[in-house]
Amino acid sequence: MAKRPETHDLNAILKAASDPTRRDILTLLAQEGPLKVGDIHARFDISLNAVSKHIKVLERAGLVRRRCEWREHLIDVQLVPLAEVDRWFRDLRSIWEMRLDALDRVITEGKRDDRTDDAS
Amino acid sequence: MAKRPETHDLNAILKAASDPTRRDILTLLAQEGPLKVGDIHARFDISLNAVSKHIKVLERAGLVRRRCEWREHLIDVQLVPLAEVDRWFRDLRSIWEMRLDALDRVITEGKRDDRTDDAS
DNA sequence: CTTTCATTCATCCAAAAGGTTGACTGACGG
DNA sequence: CCGTCAGTCAACCTTTTGGATGAATGAAAG
């Protein structure tokens, strides 16, 4: 009954995006295209294993895709799931606006009531 | 030399937003308007202190604002900093598109070079 | 066969994060 | 004067997280 099976978990996405190193990895991939794990490692001051783990986190969040050609793993950025974040933002704002609208309506009706009261 | 002094740290914003309880607090505030810390606490199954800490995190990220009227602290959601997240997303996508454009240009020039070579 | 290579797996460690409980603050109503 | 009340501060505990390091994998090259 899930809306879209491929929809990635907002929580995983935000958690993945909340680490600066991982954001840097995404940026690197965006500007250089698919890279091997080792190539990514070459750009950072952390161990290869740390990079590997970050990539796994990004992968679980759907922000990155892996194409294995035996021992070479090509990692590619995948921006689609970030739309989920955008959606959350939009939903929040819409909830906020709905409240303001309701408030506005109450005020307006209040004024009409006042007028009605005056007329009666 | 910061671009905008009021610009909140993207890292703080994403870290704050990456916790589900905090997102719930933001949603609650969006739909109910400014609330006291205790009122927020009443809606969750965690201690008042835990709520207090979450609010502090949100506050540091600029996602919430506090108006103290002596011992009653009114907490209000502040959506503006979320635009920073949006901006990050947009920047990332633009970097990605720039790479594709460059790639496209290379291919086109490659074809022109081929033709030139054939002509010479 | 043995070495090489790119990567993951398995541990381990320190620091951060989320939570709890208890003490503190300080105007206000008795 | 004294307790109440909303909220923070301080200490502590446990789980998660980011990182390091070393072993394992297993085709391919020699």
Side-chain angles (χ1 to χ4, degrees), chain A residues 33-93:
Chain A
L35 289 179
K36 296 188 288 174
V37 179
D39 292 341
I40 298 172
H41 164 236
R43 310 302 198 88
F44 293 89
D45 261 4
I46 58 180
S47 74
L48 176 66
N49 282 20
V51 173
S52 177
K53 278 212 265 183
H54 278 311
I55 290 174
K56 236 183 307 177
V57 173
L58 290 169
E59 199 180 10
R60 273 197 293 266
L63 290 172
V64 123
R65 267 179 1 196
R66 183 192 307 254
R67 182 165 43 108
C68 298
E69 204 146 331
W70 203 69
R71 70 184 167 181
E72 296 196 349
H73 298 203
L74 263 226
I75 310 299
D76 198 2
V77 70
Q78 174 76 61
L79 296 180
V80 184
L82 284 182
E84 209 64 22
V85 177
D86 207 55
R87 207 160 75 84
W88 167 65
F89 182 16
R90 230 181 280 287
D91 284 355
L92 197 58
R93 152 157 283 143

Side-chain angles (χ1 to χ4, degrees), chain B residues 36-93:
Chain B
K36 294 187 291 173
V37 178
D39 293 341
I40 297 172
H41 165 236
R43 311 301 197 86
F44 293 89
D45 261 4
I46 58 181
S47 73
L48 176 66
N49 281 17
V51 172
S52 177
K53 279 212 265 181
H54 278 311
I55 290 176
K56 236 182 310 176
V57 173
L58 290 169
E59 200 181 9
R60 273 197 293 265
L63 290 171
V64 122
R65 266 180 1 195
R66 182 192 307 254
R67 181 165 44 109
C68 298
E69 203 146 331
W70 205 93
R71 69 181 170 184
E72 297 196 350
H73 297 204
L74 263 228
I75 310 299
D76 198 2
V77 70
Q78 174 75 64
L79 295 181
V80 184
L82 283 182
E84 210 63 21
V85 177
D86 208 55
R87 208 160 75 84
W88 167 66
F89 182 15
R90 230 180 281 287
D91 285 355
L92 197 57
R93 153 157 283 143

Side-chain angles (χ1 to χ4, degrees), chain A residues 90-100, chain B residues 27 30-32:
Chain A
R90 230 181 280 287
D91 284 355
L92 197 58
R93 152 157 283 143
S94 114
I95 288 173
W96 185 74
E97 280 165 356
M98 275 168 54
R99 178 175 61 83
L100 284 204
Chain B
T27 304
Q31 57 195 4
E32 311 233 338

